[in-house]
Amino acid sequence: MKIEGSVALVTGSNRGIGLGFVKVLLERGASKVYATARDASSLPDVVDLDPSRITGFVLDIDDDAQRRSVAGQTGDTSLLINNAGVPGSEDENERRFLRASSLDDARRLMETDCFSPIEMCRLFLPNMVQRGEGGVINILSIGAIFCLPSHASYCAAKGAQALMTMGLRADLDGTGVDIAGVYTGGVRTRMSARDIPTLLTPEEHARDVFDAFEAGERHIFAGLGAGEMRDTILADPGAFEQRQIERFRNPEKAWD
C-alpha cells in the first residue's frame, strides 16, 4: 500500500519513534493522522504539527475500553502503526527470569508489548479486510530474534509479538491487507546512547520503514545494526547466543 493518501493511526506518537512516524506520515502525504498517547498533556504539541490533518486521542493500549472507544471513532483508518510499548523494570534483575522476585513485570511486558498490539489489530483489521485494502506495521525490536540477557523478558514479549504478526499475516492472506513486523535496531531516542553518531533519527527510521513497506517487505530491519545483527545470528545462532551470555554474565554469579 501507499503512504500517500492513507489514514494512519500511530500509538505512542508523542515522542521518539512514534513521533518520527507522525512527522514522516505528514511528509509523505498521509491525508489524516490519528496520534495517540497515554498522556493527554503531550498531545497538543503533536497536533500542532498540522492541526488540519492530525487528531489526537488519549489511549493506553492496555485499557480495553479506551482501545474500543478510539477504534469506534477512527473506523476509516487504513494504516495502523503499533508503536507503543514498554521496556520493562528499571531493575535489571526484574527483567531476568530466575533473578526476578516474581514474573509480574514479565507478564506486564507480555500484555503491553504483545497482547495489546494484537488486540489493536483485532479491532482495526476487520474494517480493512471488508474494504479489501489497508496495512499494519508492528514495531518490534531486533531483540525479537535473540535474547539480550539484561532484557530477557522484553525480548520474550517482542519475540511473541513477532510470531503473532506472522500468524496474522496468514489470516490476512488474499484479503488485500498487509502486515509487517519491524525489527528495529539503534534509533536516536531519549533511551538511546546519544554519543553514537550513526544512530538513525526517528524520522530516518520511519522513512526506511515506509520505503520497505511500500516495496512489499514484510520483515523489515531498520535502525543501526539491525540488518547486520540478523545476518550474524543466521550465520551461527549458537555462537551468537553464547557471546551475549558472556557479555552480560554477572562476574560473581550472584543470584541475590
Side-chain angles (χ1 to χ4, degrees), residues 69-111:
S69 175
V70 170
Q73 299 174 73
T74 58
D76 58 344
T77 296
S78 62
L79 176 62
L80 171 64
I81 301 178
N82 275 316
N83 166 71
V86 293
S89 173
E90 293 183 2
D91 182 344
E92 180 182 326
N93 286 329
E94 296 301 318
R95 301 194 302 265
R96 307 289 286 268
F97 291 117
L98 286 179
R99 296 184 183 185
S101 60
S102 73
L103 291 180
D104 288 349
D105 193 63
R107 288 190 175 93
R108 180 175 70 94
L109 276 166
M110 193 64 71
E111 187 68 30

Side-chain angles (χ1 to χ4, degrees), residues 13 33-37 43-44 46-47 54-58 73:
S13 63
V33 178
Y34 298 124
T36 80
L43 286 170
V46 182
V47 173
I54 301 176
T55 303
F57 289 94
V58 175
Q73 299 174 73

